[in-house]
DNA sequence: TAAGATAGGTTGTATATACAACCAAAAAAC
DNA sequence: GTTTTTTGGTTGTATATACAACCTATCTTA
């Protein structure tokens, strides 16, 4: 097999294609080992190796006696997961609400032209909203959105869906970049987040992509006294470059 | 095999023990598949499964035709790696120095008794130092150290070795927990870090363990205007809880 | 002495066979 | 109608065998 792919790779490709084409959606059972033996003309151990590796990669999950299923997709950052803030608030038994402060199309700010690959004068969508828990403001979200990635962004009802959830639907995230900073609060933040005198804000800048397309650049501001980011890690063995 | 471990797990345990006992150090070749057949009385495919899984876990690396070798160890956090600050500063061509402000044994602060598993009146080591780059202060490090994990902590010369490097030697990190916060600077921080008026600090609280022993609780304070934390992530398929 | 061939070792891929453990649907028994 | 048993399917573990591809040391030849 000088230049051809190993047969277990061909089986993996077959499974991936079935998932990508939506033939098998999340939690759907994929063909069993024995079915793959017939479909791909391989041995059971070869089919099994393909399924084992896709499981290891998080594409599938297996249950003894039941089958092999498509795993749901999730953007994973050990320390900074991009979550549905409404769901998160509701999951801890509080009431979520938001206040939309701004939603419009405007010229792309100069400092973001490079990020979006735009020219002076080109337009992006811009939104500012405050997320609230039990009517108490906990986060200011300012977001610039690429019109190419989400042309209908301005037309959504953000009382019933958060920008994050909407964007996940129309331009599913495949990559994200974060930057965390402490910042002095400006007057707008002081009023909007009801900060104490001299209280700073924890700021998360987040750029997200969907495949090769930059989707949005957003900034999240949190009251320093009421917000922290945490995580826990264990030692992992890791290969140096070979 | 009602309650006993699968044989490939026994092979994995055998390999792990050989590494833990320093019989096979980093980059040393471990027994080949055929050697494991004899040593563990298993089939080659069972030995191979054990080696494949340890490779997947980053414990080993394999080279076709040459053998299977012990992979070097590394603590890995995608966003908050615990690095050697002196080395980091020197690697970007600047000069590292530090100023030790406090180094003493004292009663464990009340809020850390639970962390360290200590009683009122028990003692811990306490150090405060400022790390500098080209003589400019960039970080305040306050640290409480468990005397059991590092009994000689107070006796080190921190002009030539950072606390982090020393602790890595005597109590190698196996686990860490982080918390990131924005905070208003107190007068000591303002003076020590030469902050602008009203400039906040970015604070990282970090607890580290070596195996089951809590080693240290440290707090790192950075000028908000000159420090940020960043990272970039890609989509990973991931199982929901089963 | 250097180059090429050979031998023996390694990992990588593939197939076949067998039994264990688990699950769910269908059939049989009550 | 309900419970138990059976059947057919699934994944999990294990062994054996074979050949390919790679690497390194040793031997042979020029």
């Amino acid at each position: 097999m000088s230049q051809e792919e190993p047969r277990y790779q061909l089986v993996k490709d077959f499974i991936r294609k079935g998932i990508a084409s939506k033939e098998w959606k999340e939690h759907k059972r994929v063909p069993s080992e024995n079915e793959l033996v017939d479909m791909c003309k391989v041995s059971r151990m070869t089919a099994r190796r393909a399924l084992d590796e896709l499981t290891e990669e998080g594409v599938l999950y297996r249950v003894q006696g039941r089958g092999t299923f498509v795993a749901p997709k999730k953007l994973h950052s050990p320390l900074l997961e991009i979550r549905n803030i409404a769901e998160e608030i509701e999951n801890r038994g509080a009431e979520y609400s938001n206040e939309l402060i701004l939603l419009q199309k405007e010229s792309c700010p100069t400092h973001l032209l490079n990020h979006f690959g735009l020219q002076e004068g080109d337009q992006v969508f811009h939104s500012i909203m405050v997320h609230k828990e039990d009517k108490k403001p906990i986060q200011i979200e300012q977001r610039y959105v690429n019109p190419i990635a989400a042309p209908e962004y301005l037309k959504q009802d953000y009382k019933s869906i958060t920008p994050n959830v909407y964007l996940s639907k129309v331009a599913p995230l495949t990559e994200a970049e974060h930057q965390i900073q402490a910042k002095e609060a400006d007057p707008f933040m002081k009023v909007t987040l009801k900060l104490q005198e001299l209280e700073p804000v924890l700021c998360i800048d987040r750029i997200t992509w969907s495949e090769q397309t930059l989707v949005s650049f957003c900034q999240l501001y949190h009251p320093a006294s009421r917000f922290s980011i945490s995580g826990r890690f264990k030692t992992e063995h890791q290969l140096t470059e070979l």
Side-chain angles (χ1 to χ4, degrees), chain A:
Chain A
M1 52 187 88
S2 54
Q3 290 241 353
E4 70 197 47
E5 276 199 309
R7 309 199 75 188
Y8 72 87
Q9 278 293 350
L10 300 177
V11 178
K12 287 174 74 175
D13 293 341
F14 173 77
I15 300 291
R16 288 191 200 283
K17 286 198 183 80
I19 295 173
S21 69
K22 308 294 186 190
E23 182 178 354
W24 306 314
K25 296 195 173 81
E26 289 184 359
H27 302 294
K28 176 85 172 189
R29 193 181 75 80
V30 304
S32 67
E33 291 172 5
N34 285 337
E35 286 168 334
L36 287 170
V37 163
D38 292 332
M39 296 166 90
C40 300
K41 307 298 177 217
V42 294
S43 79
R44 190 191 153 207
M45 290 301 105
T46 302
R48 182 181 178 79
R49 176 172 175 172
L51 294 176
D52 278 347
E53 287 194 7
L54 289 172
T55 301
E56 188 61 49
E57 291 161 28
V59 178
L60 302 174
Y61 63 94
R62 286 157 70 72
V63 184
Q64 182 172 2
R66 288 183 64 202
T68 307
F69 306 87
V70 180
K73 209 177 219 179
K74 177 176 159 191
L75 185 61
H76 178 62
S77 155
L79 198 51
L80 275 175
E81 289 182 15
I82 297 174
R83 294 169 299 211
N84 178 344
I85 188 171
E87 206 172 77
E88 187 179 317
I89 288 170
E90 283 159 2
N91 282 348
R92 54 178 180 254
E95 184 202 359
Y96 168 77
S97 63
N98 69 43
E99 182 188 338
L100 187 60
I101 295 175
L102 180 138
L103 182 67
Q104 69 189 21
K105 178 191 279 195
E106 64 189 51
S107 290
C108 185
T110 309
H111 68 288
L112 295 182
L113 287 172
N114 275 345
H115 284 301
F116 284 109
L118 297 177
Q119 308 286 344
E120 200 80 34
D122 285 344
Q123 306 242 293
V124 294
F125 301 141
H126 184 195
S127 60
I128 301 177
M129 76 175 42
V130 187
H131 299 277
K132 299 177 179 182
E133 175 170 341
D134 289 336
K135 299 199 192 314
K136 187 172 189 173
I138 61 165
Q139 184 192 86
I140 295 173
E141 176 194 304
Q142 167 166 242
R143 189 186 295 266
Y144 292 94
V145 173
N146 181 357
I148 295 170
E152 308 292 304
Y153 184 76
L154 296 183
K155 293 168 181 152
Q156 305 312 306
D157 172 21
Y158 291 112
K159 284 301 183 189
S160 56
I161 189 172
T162 63
N164 198 22
V165 168
Y166 172 67
L167 290 174
S168 294
K169 287 188 156 98
V170 301
L173 303 193
T174 56
E175 195 164 346
E177 181 176 290
H178 292 89
Q179 192 176 58
I180 302 169
Q181 285 171 305
K183 279 182 174 171
E184 200 180 326
D186 65 22
F188 168 69
M189 297 172 190
K190 288 179 184 181
V191 169
T192 309
L193 293 174
K194 301 186 194 300
L195 301 180
Q196 309 264 354
E197 192 179 354
L198 303 188
E199 183 178 356
V201 289
L202 192 64
C203 175
I204 300 170
D205 289 356
R206 176 186 291 152
I207 306 175
T208 56
W209 287 262
S210 187
E211 302 306 325
Q212 304 309 319
T213 305
L214 191 148
V215 176
S216 92
F217 174 85
C218 91
Q219 289 171 298
L220 308 173
Y221 300 93
H222 307 90
S225 63
R226 291 183 274 121
F227 189 86
S228 67
I229 295 162
S230 57
R232 186 163 177 144
F233 311 95
K234 286 182 182 291
T235 305
E236 292 173 21
H237 286 80
Q238 207 122 349
L239 259 58
T240 53
E241 281 195 26
L242 286 172

